[in-house]
Amino acid sequence: MLQIKNLNIVHKKDLRTILDDFSFTLQKGEKAAIIGEEGNGKSTLLKWIADPLLVESYVETVGERICRGERIGYLPQELPVEEKEKSVYEFFCEEPLFFMQNPKSLAQMAGRLRMNPDFFYREQKMKTLSGGEKIKVQLARILMAEPTILLLDEPTNDLDTETLEWLEELILRTQQSVLYISHDETLLERTANVIIHIEQIRRKTVCRYTIVRTDYQTYLSQRASQFETQEREAKNDRRQEEIRQEKFRRIQQRVEHEQRNISRQDPHGGQLLKKKMKAVKSMERRYEREAVAMTQMPEEERAVFLKMSEGTSLPSGKMVLDLYLERLQAEKNGTILAEHISLRVRGPEKVCIIGTNGTGKTTLLKRIARELLGRKDISVAYMPQNYEDLLEMEQTPIEYLAPSGSREDRTKARTYLGAMRYTTDEMEHPMKELSGGQKAKVLLLRMSMSGANVLLLDEPTRNFSPLSGPVIREILKAYQGAIISISHDRKYIEEVCSSRYLLTGQGLVLLKEPE
């Protein structure tokens, strides 16, 4: 059992309270999902539970963490810098129980993770693995240690569909308690039986959390119903308050009129008027008490708002991409990943390329980017899988979105960032201090401001919260330009993409034709 008592977390830089008096008990076998918007402290909470020392550099914490007799297995959102330089074999050697594994058990684990059995002994550097391969390797090492509690921060990031389904089964079937963060709505819907919702309301000046022991869909339904009922009651209370106030004003005005016109020669009338004034004051105090007790309008953390630039539409016959590659080679070592790749995209088509981890999807998209970014007849914007390829980590969001530094551009950037729920302080934080979702927002904003009519997107939704996900999908679905993307997000693939290709060693296989 994992127990957290009276936890308070305050950001050192802007003194923003992330959690206030947070208490929670994770019971044996529970599958608890932490949800909330980007930058609300989900990863910070999970890091603190794994090891309070992981967060001491940027937050102040007070609280009690009780996990006696438990073995915690923690999957971070990003591979630590010191781990990236290790070979795969060296990485596994860090786990003592690795040497207790026999060839059969390693082969079985490799099979479940869709990896080759010799993968455990590779000399390949961790930093050269694909995003999905990094997740698989970390999961394999965690499971070798036989933890009793799993803490998983975005375990679905970059995983292929088959491994996603395996992960779902793992979470569902394991006897271990699981506390995880995920932006994959399908995973949440299928696995979570406890929801921990962390919110920042009133322009991120007030933190709030909700813990409900139910499934994700039921939680959303109950929350929406509760807010609807509360809003209806609040509006009714305000109508009644207006009626009361109007009645009070009429009575007060009548008494004041009588007070102005009463004759000094009428002492009886004066006494009666004093009684009336006393009754009016009593009525005023009663109405004030009733106003305080009124049902308040529900306070909900708003999802992101984003609008793509005008003029991004493409004619249906416009040739966006006509690509043929004899072979696709890995950038690091020249290994041939696939051969005879052919892809043709016309007009406002929305293409998604899927495939197992390590097949070269990101390499292919980079190759397409090199092909298209130099074109003069189209305007192209690119979101890479590794945000650091485009973002300068010491730069602030304002500096990135307004490189000219002009007052007009900085004001425009602030307006856009505000719509994406950045606080004034966060707009001035260096990129290195922002969450993955906040970095994704900056890139998406830059794309929306660019007026591009072709978007190249490598896992565009992977760092957006499940509450922002539907908004992002709707924006991309309504986008009038072309999209060439890589994704394992099942809802994105289904709702946004008009055509779908599977990347194999023999090329691209069309799975879904444009409608």
Side-chain angles (χ1 to χ4, degrees):
M1 182 178 72
L2 169 68
Q3 191 171 12
I4 302 164
K5 290 184 177 180
N6 312 115
L7 174 62
N8 293 277
I9 302 179
V10 178
H11 204 288
K12 286 182 178 180
K13 187 162 188 174
D14 54 26
L15 302 181
R16 179 166 58 92
T17 301
I18 296 172
L19 279 174
D20 182 25
D21 198 29
F22 177 83
S23 295
F24 170 67
T25 300
L26 182 67
Q27 304 288 354
K28 183 178 180 181
E30 283 187 327
K31 314 300 189 292
I34 305 173
I35 65 170
E37 291 297 326
E38 297 79 15
N40 279 8
K42 303 183 299 294
S43 292
T44 298
L45 172 59
L46 210 63
K47 284 180 184 177
W48 181 86
I49 295 171
D51 182 356
L53 295 177
L54 293 174
V55 299
E56 68 174 4
S57 63
Y58 66 96
V59 293
E60 296 282 357
T61 62
V62 177
E64 191 176 0
R65 164 181 167 270
I66 304 170
C67 52
R68 286 187 290 269
E70 303 287 358
R71 295 188 305 279
I72 290 179
Y74 170 56
L75 174 73
Q77 185 178 122
E78 295 183 6
L79 187 68
V81 175
E82 61 273 14
E83 304 279 23
K84 291 181 179 180
E85 295 300 324
K86 294 176 182 175
S87 69
V88 173
Y89 178 64
E90 289 170 338
F91 182 79
F92 279 111
C93 287
E94 295 291 319
E95 172 50 54
L97 290 181
F98 172 61
F99 301 101
M100 304 296 290
Q101 307 294 316
N102 59 48
K104 183 178 179 181
S105 63
L106 288 177
Q108 289 174 339
M109 182 174 290
R112 291 199 300 272
L113 287 167
R114 312 293 193 276
M115 301 189 306
N116 290 324
D118 65 351
F119 198 90
F120 301 99
Y121 302 98
R122 283 192 185 176
E123 291 303 320
Q124 185 179 356
K125 294 285 188 183
M126 290 289 293
K127 65 181 181 181
T128 66
L129 299 178
S130 70
E133 287 174 324
K134 287 174 187 170
I135 297 291
K136 288 180 180 181
V137 169
Q138 291 176 86
L139 279 172
R141 193 175 82 171
I142 288 168
L143 293 174
M144 283 177 191
E146 300 178 354
T148 57
I149 295 175
L150 289 173
L151 306 180
L152 309 176
D153 194 348
E154 291 298 341
T156 59
N157 275 2
D158 308 315
L159 289 183
D160 56 55
T161 304
E162 287 186 350
T163 311
L164 268 175
E165 291 171 352
W166 170 84
L167 181 64
E168 284 177 2
E169 284 297 310
L170 171 70
I171 294 174
L172 280 171
R173 305 296 180 199
T174 184
Q175 299 300 308
Q176 299 143 320
S177 303
V178 184
L179 180 62
Y180 67 97
I181 300 167
S182 179
H183 296 159
D184 189 309
E185 294 162 68
T186 305
L187 182 82
L188 291 171
E189 290 168 359
R190 294 179 179 177
T191 60
N193 56 23
V194 180
I195 303 297
I196 303 170
H197 189 176
I198 300 175
E199 298 177 90
Q200 296 277 321
I201 56 177
R202 301 180 199 171
R203 295 182 180 272
K204 293 193 174 183
T205 60
V206 176
C207 62
R208 178 174 72 186
Y209 71 89
T210 305
I211 300 173
V212 180
R213 282 181 158 77
T214 188
D215 63 87
Y216 181 64
Q217 287 284 34
T218 300
Y219 169 68
L220 292 183
S221 177
Q222 289 176 347
R223 175 183 168 86
S225 177
Q226 178 187 343
F227 277 19
E228 185 180 330
T229 300
Q230 185 178 340
E231 184 176 357
R232 187 168 56 249
E233 291 176 353
K235 287 179 178 179
N236 182 62
D237 284 357
R238 277 155 180 72
R239 283 193 296 269
Q240 295 302 316
E241 172 65 9
E242 289 174 4
I243 293 170
R244 288 195 300 268
Q245 289 298 328
E246 180 60 32
K247 177 183 177 182
F248 172 74
R249 281 191 292 271
R250 287 200 304 269
I251 294 172
Q252 187 181 41
Q253 288 169 1
R254 187 169 64 246
V255 172
E256 288 175 349
H257 176 74
E258 291 176 2
Q259 191 177 39
R260 285 193 299 269
N261 295 297
I262 190 169
S263 170
R264 292 183 178 180
Q265 307 303 318
D266 184 8
H268 177 70
Q271 288 179 347
L272 185 61
L273 191 58
K274 281 183 180 180
K275 289 182 179 180
K276 285 185 177 180
M277 284 300 295
K278 186 177 181 181
V280 168
K281 292 295 183 183
S282 177
M283 180 185 293
E284 184 178 24
R285 287 192 295 271
R286 188 174 83 247
Y287 284 174
E288 286 175 353
R289 290 194 299 270
E290 289 175 352
V292 171
M294 279 196 310
T295 303
Q296 299 299 306
M297 291 293 286
E299 293 184 295
E300 184 175 11
E301 187 175 32
R302 295 180 181 178
V304 297
F305 175 78
L306 177 68
K307 187 177 181 181
M308 301 302 282
S309 302
E310 300 290 335
T312 58
S313 60
L314 280 173
S316 58
K318 175 67 177 177
M319 181 63 73
V320 175
L321 177 68
D322 189 2
L323 177 74
Y324 177 77
L325 296 176
E326 183 70 30
R327 61 180 60 86
L328 179 69
Q329 293 178 289
E331 295 178 328
K332 300 291 183 182
N333 54 23
T335 301
I336 296 176
L337 302 169
E339 297 180 306
H340 309 301
I341 295 174
S342 178
L343 179 61
R344 181 173 291 182
V345 180
R346 287 183 182 273
E349 192 176 345
K350 295 178 175 61
V351 175
C352 185
I353 300 170
I354 65 172
T356 56
N357 296 129
T359 53
K361 300 183 297 297
T362 291
T363 303
L364 175 59
L365 195 65
K366 286 181 178 179
R367 178 67 177 78
I368 292 171
R370 289 198 296 271
E371 181 94 5
L372 298 184
L373 284 169
R375 291 261 296 272
K376 302 297 183 183
D377 58 325
I378 54 176
S379 177
V380 182
Y382 174 44
M383 175 188 274
Q385 184 183 102
N386 182 9
Y387 302 148
E388 294 182 18
D389 290 350
L390 289 184
L391 296 177
E392 171 54 56
M393 290 298 104
E394 296 299 329
Q395 231 179 5
T396 69
I398 292 288
E399 291 169 340
Y400 180 72
L401 294 176
S404 70
S406 71
R407 186 178 211 174
E408 182 182 352
D409 285 350
R410 288 178 70 87
T411 300
K412 184 179 179 182
R414 287 183 183 279
T415 302
Y416 275 83
L417 287 165
M420 294 294 270
R421 302 198 68 261
Y422 275 81
T423 66
T424 304
D425 287 325
E426 287 170 338
M427 294 177 192
E428 300 293 348
H429 284 185
M431 297 288 187
K432 65 182 180 182
E433 295 181 8
L434 301 180
S435 70
Q438 288 174 310
K439 293 171 188 172
K441 285 179 180 179
V442 173
L443 284 172
L444 202 59
L445 279 177
R446 181 71 171 265
M447 296 175 83
S448 74
M449 295 166 69
S450 70
N453 53 18
V454 178
L455 303 182
L456 306 180
L457 309 175
D458 197 340
E459 295 287 353
T461 61
R462 70 189 177 111
N463 277 313
F464 286 103
S465 80
L467 305 171
S468 294
V471 179
I472 301 299
R473 292 197 299 273
E474 194 59 38
I475 291 166
L476 294 177
K477 183 179 179 180
Y479 177 65
Q480 296 181 325
I483 296 176
I484 303 174
S485 61
I486 297 168
S487 183
H488 301 299
D489 180 339
R490 289 160 285 189
K491 289 189 181 290
Y492 168 81
I493 294 169
E494 188 62 34
E495 295 176 20
V496 176
C497 303
S498 57
S499 58
R500 192 183 314 161
Y501 292 85
L502 173 67
L503 179 59
T504 70
Q506 290 72 49
L508 288 168
V509 179
L510 180 63
L511 301 179
K512 179 187 176 184
E513 296 187 23
E515 297 177 358

